[in-house]
Amino acid sequence: MSTVAGDGATVTVSVRVPPAEAFDIFTREIDLWWRQGPRFRIAGRRRGQLSFESGAGGRLFETVDFDDGQRVFVAGTILVWEPPERLAFEWRGVNFKKGESTRVDVSFRAAGASTLVTVRHSGFSTLPEGHPARHGLEGAAFSRMIGLWWGELMTGLREHVMQR
């Protein structure tokens, strides 16, 4: 399920594990479920390693091997780390200028034998009109695109949980 709003998007997926396990999979196994390729990774077609550093102040980063050596790209800083219920981090796309960021809030809520993982990505209204992150889209069209992007990622999370 996904919903869109003028400033971002919210996507919810159900995974068949308890909240503590869902939080652990989301954070410690992010590289295993986050999609590959240029739409989802700074590494593009190269193989990068996506990781969270646990705790508030930690980083979400991708380590990429290039011909001239390894580089680390920081995609965000963890703002809230409250296992097994909540995670929030600043999101900085590779094309963001200094001082530009958005926010991703993730909640993990028990629902019977499963966990509802809800991702809310917001703060795009702080980016200037025509920003490269918008891909030429504004308003509802942009929110739909972000919702579909996160929908693909949450499908990756659900598929990864099912394969464990």
Side-chain angles (χ1 to χ4, degrees):
M1 171 185 115
S2 70
T3 58
V4 294
D7 187 42
T10 302
V11 175
T12 299
V13 66
S14 177
V15 293
R16 294 195 57 82
V17 293
E21 191 172 347
F23 186 97
D24 190 58
I25 292 168
F26 190 98
T27 56
R28 286 191 332 110
E29 298 182 18
I30 189 168
D31 191 63
L32 299 176
W33 62 262
W34 194 280
R35 300 283 195 211
Q36 298 289 325
R39 282 193 67 215
F40 301 101
R41 299 284 186 122
I42 293 168
R45 288 181 174 74
R46 293 179 182 270
R47 179 73 177 120
Q49 174 74 35
L50 196 58
S51 304
F52 272 110
E53 291 175 334
S54 63
R59 303 174 302 163
L60 169 59
F61 62 96
E62 187 171 358
T63 305
V64 183
D65 289 323
F66 289 96
D67 295 337
D68 61 347
Q70 194 174 72
R71 287 190 284 196
V72 174
F73 297 91
V74 177
T77 302
I78 298 170
L79 305 169
V80 177
W81 184 273
E82 297 174 353
E85 298 160 352
R86 195 167 156 237
L87 168 69
F89 54 95
E90 166 195 64
W91 176 267
R92 292 188 36 77
V94 71
N95 55 10
F96 283 34
K97 293 179 183 173
K98 186 176 179 161
E100 292 180 336
S101 68
T102 56
R103 181 181 172 112
V104 178
D105 287 280
V106 187
S107 66
F108 303 83
R109 192 181 54 158
S114 297
T115 298
L116 295 178
V117 180
T118 300
V119 175
R120 167 85 178 128
H121 194 163
S122 62
F124 290 96
S125 63
T126 65
L127 301 178
E129 197 171 303
H131 191 281
R134 296 181 187 280
H135 301 280
L137 302 172
E138 298 293 335
F142 172 72
S143 291
R144 266 190 301 282
M145 185 218 28
I146 291 297
L148 290 170
W149 187 79
W150 276 106
E152 286 186 59
L153 289 172
M154 292 300 92
T155 297
L157 175 67
R158 184 178 62 234
E159 289 170 348
H160 176 68
V161 169
M162 290 170 52
Q163 293 171 1
R164 294 176 92 237

